[in-house]
Amino acid sequence: MATPTWEQVALATGPGEGAEAAVRQAYKEAGLPEPELVLMLPSPAAGAVVAAWLTGDEQARAALAEAGLAPESPAGAFPAPELPGLLGDAGPGRSVRDDLRTKPWERARAAAYAELGPVGWAEHWAETGGRLWPQAERLISDLRRAIGRLGDDPSSSVGERGAPQETPSDRSRGGRDVGAVLREATLDAVLGQHDAPWLFTFDALDAIRYGLAAPDGSAGKGNRDGLAGLAGLARPGDPSEGDGFGGPGARDSRDGGEGLAGRDGLSRLGGRDERGGPSEPGPGAGEGRDGSDGLDERGGPAGLDDIPDLDGLMRVAEQAGWWWPYERVAIVTERPVELHLDDLGRLHRADGPAMAYADGFALHAWHGMPVPAGFGAVMSDLTVERIRAERNAELRRVMLEHFGFERYLAESDAKRIHSDETGTLWRVDLPGDEPLTMVEVVNSTPEPDGTRRTYFLRVPPWIQRAKQGVAWTFGLAENEYDPQRET
C-alpha cells in the first residue's frame, strides 16, 4: 500500500489501524511508562467530554451531567460507563502532553533553526507544513467551536449541536460554564491527524539531514521506512495561492484560534513575524522544560542530529484523530467517517453534514460557515419570504448571496431611493440587520449583439445617491468621481 502524503493524513477519514500500538510507542519515545489503558472513542467530542469528566471538579461534572453529557451514564450523548471501574479512585493521572508533544517539538524546532538559520527555516516551513497549515487550522477551529457548543441545547440531537444559536453559546450549568469546560478540554488534546503540518515539517528534515532531495510530502520518517524512500523525490512545487507562510501561532488562543504549535505553543521558539511567516526563536529558544539549553555536548548549537524521535507521534497521526494523553490512560479518538470540502478547502455540504463521526457528532457548514442541520435543503428552495423569516442575520446573509441580490431586489418591495446619470439606488429593509442597499448601473460598453448589461453594486446603507454609491465602489468621494470614459 502506498505511503500517504501528509496532506492525505490531515484529511483522512474512516477507522485507522494500529493506533493503540502507536500511542504506546509515543509514550516510550518520550521516556514515559506505557498507559494502563488506551481508550478508543468515536469522535473528538466524545474525547473532550470524557477528558473534561475525568479531570474536572465536582462543578464541572455537575454542569456536564445537567447538559446531558455525563459519560458515566449510558443515556448520555457520549457514554463511557466503564470508566469508573477501569480507573478506580486514582483517576487518569496528570496530563503528559508536554512530555509527549511540547518538549520534543521545542527541541526539534530549535535544532532545525540552529542548522538552517532564519531564512532556511522559513523556506523549509513554506515548502512543507506551511502548505497544509491554513486548511488544518480551519478544521481545528471548526471542531473546537462545535465541541464548545455541545451544551447549547440539551434537547437537540447530537448531530444538530454546533450550529449557530440565537442564545449564548456558553450556558452556565451546575455553577460552571459548560462551553468553557469543553473548550478547555480541547486545549489539552494532541491533535493527531491535524498535527500533520508540523509533523510534515519535522519529517522532511530527514531529507536535509542526510543530504537527500526534498520530500514530496509522503508521511513517515526516513528512519522508519528506510532512507531509500526519501531518495530521488522531487522538490515540491510552490504552495497554492493564499497559503503563503501562514505559520502556526505561538500563543494560546482559547477562543479557538490556537495554532498547531499547541497550548503552550512553541512560544519561546517564535511564532509569526510581521509577514505571517515563522519568526526567529525568542529568548531561551533552545531551552526545554527539562532545563536543556539547546546546545550539544560540545557546547555548540544543536543541529539536526539533535532532533528527537517523533516516530510514535507520526504513527498516531496517520491512524487517529485527536487524543488526550495522561499518566494512566490515553483517550484516543477516531477520524471522521465523512469529510466534505469546497474548492477553497472549507467545510461545505448541501445535503448533509460536512464532517461526521461514527457516534453522530457532526458539523454542518455552508462554504465554511457553521449552519444548522437541514440548512442545505432550505437553500435549494429559497423564497423572499423564507429569507425574511430567518432570524439569524449571518444565515440570512448566506441565503441572500445564494439567492442573488439582484433577484431579491426584483422580488421584494425594494424602494427606489435616487436616480441620476450613473444609475439607480435601491434599498430594502432586512429584519434585525442593516438594509440591503444597491446601485443599479448599465454598462456603457455594449455587448457584441448591441445590448447593454445591467449590474447591481452593493453599497453601504448610509449611501443616499446613486453617484455617491458608484464613487464609493472606486474608493472616491462623490465630488471626486468624474469618469471621462466608463468601461
Side-chain angles (χ1 to χ4, degrees):
M1 184 175 65
T3 302
T5 66
W6 280 112
E7 181 177 12
Q8 290 170 331
V9 167
L11 304 178
T13 59
E17 297 180 358
E20 179 174 346
V23 166
R24 295 186 182 279
Q25 179 182 352
Y27 272 71
K28 290 179 182 179
E29 290 172 355
L32 299 169
E34 292 185 34
E36 299 170 30
L37 170 67
V38 176
L39 179 64
M40 297 296 302
L41 295 174
S43 74
V49 167
V50 171
W53 183 269
L54 288 177
T55 61
D57 56 20
E58 291 185 5
Q59 287 185 327
R61 291 190 177 190
L64 290 167
E66 188 178 344
L69 298 173
E72 292 184 356
S73 170
F78 305 101
E82 71 276 16
L83 283 175
L86 291 172
L87 294 177
D89 296 332
R94 69 176 180 87
S95 172
V96 293
R97 181 179 181 275
D98 280 358
D99 303 274
L100 281 165
R101 184 178 185 263
T102 305
K103 290 180 183 178
W105 286 18
E106 286 176 347
R107 285 182 58 198
R109 187 171 174 179
Y113 191 92
E115 181 78 18
L116 304 177
V119 174
W121 167 248
E123 290 177 348
H124 180 71
W125 166 259
E127 292 179 347
T128 55
R131 303 172 68 175
L132 310 186
W133 165 253
Q135 188 170 59
E137 182 185 35
R138 281 194 298 266
L139 292 174
I140 293 165
S141 297
D142 290 340
L143 280 168
R144 283 209 172 109
R145 185 184 304 109
I147 291 171
R149 290 181 177 272
L150 283 173
D152 274 355
D153 185 1
S155 66
S156 68
S157 70
V158 174
E160 292 174 341
R161 292 173 177 158
Q165 303 287 333
E166 291 297 326
T167 55
S169 63
D170 298 333
R171 294 188 180 179
S172 180
R173 302 177 185 278
R176 287 292 302 275
D177 184 327
V178 180
V181 168
L182 292 171
R183 284 193 298 273
E184 186 174 349
T186 67
L187 296 175
D188 284 329
V190 179
L191 301 180
Q193 68 179 130
H194 295 146
D195 275 336
W198 269 109
L199 294 174
F200 181 15
T201 301
F202 297 141
D203 191 16
L205 291 172
D206 269 355
I208 301 173
R209 185 179 185 180
Y210 294 100
L212 303 175
D216 63 354
S218 296
K221 286 172 66 74
N223 61 3
R224 182 175 81 203
D225 298 320
L227 290 177
L230 285 174
L233 296 176
R235 188 176 185 84
D238 292 332
S240 59
E241 183 178 354
D243 284 357
F245 284 158
R251 60 184 179 276
D252 173 14
S253 176
R254 293 177 177 260
D255 60 358
E258 180 206 11
L260 288 183
R263 178 172 175 167
D264 331 65
L266 299 171
S267 53
R268 288 168 300 181
L269 303 179
R272 290 187 179 95
D273 65 12
E274 64 274 9
R275 301 181 305 277
S279 65
E280 297 183 13
E287 183 178 333
R289 296 191 181 199
D290 57 0
S292 62
D293 57 6
L295 304 178
D296 64 16
E297 62 274 11
R298 300 181 302 277
L304 296 184
D305 287 339
D306 192 51
I307 294 177
D309 195 353
L310 303 175
D311 196 34
L313 285 176
M314 291 182 181
R315 286 188 182 276
V316 178
E318 291 174 20
Q319 303 299 334
W322 295 13
W323 59 292
W324 285 256
Y326 300 96
E327 285 180 304
R328 299 186 60 214
V329 60
I331 302 167
V332 185
T333 68
E334 298 284 2
R335 300 176 301 199
V337 295
E338 289 188 70
L339 179 64
H340 302 269
L341 306 170
D342 64 10
D343 292 341
L344 298 179
R346 301 170 300 186
L347 289 175
H348 173 73
R349 190 181 179 189
D351 57 351
M355 179 184 285
Y357 288 84
D359 58 3
F361 174 64
L363 280 67
H364 295 261
W366 185 269
H367 294 296
M369 178 180 171
V371 298
F375 183 78
V378 172
M379 297 288 272
S380 64
D381 193 26
L382 281 177
T383 64
V384 169
E385 291 73 22
R386 175 64 185 87
I387 295 173
R388 281 184 184 151
E390 176 55 54
R391 295 174 57 193
N392 185 293
E394 291 184 358
L395 295 182
R396 187 167 56 243
R397 291 189 190 106
V398 173
M399 290 178 173
L400 276 169
E401 291 175 1
H402 184 70
F403 189 77
F405 296 113
E406 177 182 349
R407 180 183 171 192
Y408 187 83
L409 287 175
E411 297 183 17
S412 66
D413 54 351
K415 297 178 181 178
R416 184 172 180 169
I417 303 300
H418 180 262
S419 292
D420 57 27
E421 71 280 5
T422 60
T424 301
L425 181 67
W426 299 91
R427 181 174 293 132
V428 59
D429 292 331
L430 297 172
D433 199 359
E434 65 179 26
L436 174 62
T437 308
M438 305 191 79
V439 181
E440 178 183 0
V441 296
V442 177
N443 192 355
S444 60
T445 304
E447 300 295 312
D449 62 0
T451 62
R452 296 178 185 271
R453 295 188 62 181
T454 299
Y455 295 92
F456 285 81
L457 310 175
R458 188 168 187 181
V459 297
W462 47 263
I463 295 293
Q464 299 296 321
R465 294 170 299 280
K467 184 178 180 180
Q468 180 189 19
V470 174
W472 178 87
T473 66
F474 287 96
L476 301 173
E478 183 177 0
N479 60 359
E480 296 174 327
Y481 180 69
D482 186 22
Q484 300 300 310
R485 180 173 181 266
E486 296 185 20
T487 59

